[in-house]
Amino acid sequence: MSIMEAKLKSILLFGQPGVGKGTQGTIVGRVPGFCHLATGDMFRGLDRDSELGREFLKYSTQGLLVPDELTCRLWRQYVQGLIDTNKYLPGSDALLLDGIPRSPAQAKTLDDHIEVLAIVHLVCADEEELIQRMKRRADIQNRPDDADETVIRRRFEVFHSETAAVLDHYDPKLIHTVTATGSPGKILLNILNAVIPSMEGHFGNPLG
Ligand code: AMP
């Protein structure tokens, strides 16, 4: 199937850097019926010596977004690759998008490709706590964009100036605000409580 043929039923994981989108997205992505796609992972998977890989590092090491056109082009290719290799089955899986769209322009481009069933907005009011979390994961995940506090702070600025407005693009009824502090199990429960009802009637139930 080509991604140009039908709109992919999707759930957006949205929130500030460090709020836990990747952690929760990885867990939910293990549940049958979900396919987790994190654009940060997509970019980090590029060969660092390739032209695209160098282009990514040029922006990410400064805490900036990769330009919209390049991001959306790569995203389309990547999703098509997941479909072609049966890692993502559009008829039975919800595409769990983590880290995209990150600008109103990306949201507009994605309108041609996805039908948004729900948006999970993970929130944590305490930016200092998020910064500490990001510094810790920098070592574990080998992420240069999280090692330097100046870069982390730039990522927050970019979130407020470029990404936050993405929510205005969607019907407020789709948006579920989930507190991102406290036990990971409870956060997971709240995410599933928000998204499972939104998926009902949209997919067959092959497991009965
Ligand atoms: P993340 O792992 O989601 O924090 O993403 C790491 C870096 O990848 C970001 O700081 C950006 O440079 C880049 N990136 C990830 N997703 C996007 C996106 N949707 N648009 C532009 N840049 C992105």
Side-chain angles (χ1 to χ4, degrees):
M1 182 207 137
S2 156
I3 68 160
M4 307 312 272
E5 277 170 40
K7 291 206 181 179
L8 309 170
K9 295 181 196 285
S10 303
I11 291 162
L12 308 185
L13 264 182
F14 187 82
Q16 284 186 305
V19 84
K21 300 187 295 295
T23 304
Q24 293 292 336
T26 304
I27 302 168
V28 178
R30 300 293 298 266
V31 178
F34 292 92
C35 175
H36 176 225
L37 192 176
T39 44
D41 293 340
M42 171 187 88
F43 281 124
R44 279 184 291 276
L46 294 168
D47 177 355
R48 289 175 168 230
D49 294 324
S50 68
E51 206 181 311
L52 283 179
R54 277 196 298 270
E55 192 73 0
F56 161 62
L57 283 176
K58 191 170 92 188
Y59 294 99
S60 64
T61 51
Q62 296 181 71
L64 301 175
L65 296 182
V66 177
D68 293 329
E69 200 275 328
L70 173 57
T71 299
C72 291
R73 183 155 43 92
L74 206 62
W75 178 86
R76 273 192 292 263
Q77 285 172 13
Y78 194 82
V79 175
Q80 189 65 58
L82 292 176
I83 294 173
D84 292 344
T85 53
N86 283 336
K87 293 192 180 95
Y88 163 45
L89 307 171
S92 49
D93 296 342
L95 190 58
L96 184 62
L97 292 178
D98 157 0
I100 192 167
R102 246 169 158 121
S103 68
Q106 291 181 16
K108 252 185 160 169
T109 303
L110 260 58
D111 280 346
D112 291 338
H113 302 292
I114 63 173
E115 175 190 350
V116 176
L117 304 181
I119 301 166
V120 175
H121 183 195
L122 286 170
V123 290
C124 171
D126 186 350
E127 285 196 357
E128 295 309 312
E129 183 185 327
L130 293 181
I131 289 170
Q132 294 316 316
R133 277 198 209 178
M134 291 169 80
K135 282 181 168 171
R136 281 198 298 272
R137 82 175 179 194
D139 297 333
I140 301 164
Q141 298 178 354
N142 188 22
R143 290 187 52 162
D145 56 338
D146 284 351
D148 178 335
E149 194 165 323
T150 316
V151 175
I152 294 181
R153 292 197 185 273
R154 174 80 69 83
R155 280 159 57 76
F156 281 109
E157 281 166 27
V158 167
F159 176 82
H160 293 300
S161 63
E162 299 182 45
T163 304
V166 162
L167 288 181
D168 300 335
H169 183 80
Y170 297 102
D171 182 344
K173 288 203 281 289
L174 294 175
I175 302 171
H176 303 263
T177 301
V178 172
T179 304
T181 46
S183 97
K186 190 160 181 211
I187 300 169
L188 175 66
L189 191 66
N190 289 334
I191 292 175
L192 291 174
N193 275 330
V195 303
I196 302 284
S198 74
M199 291 164 65
E200 254 153 44
H202 285 280
F203 300 98
N205 187 3
L207 299 178

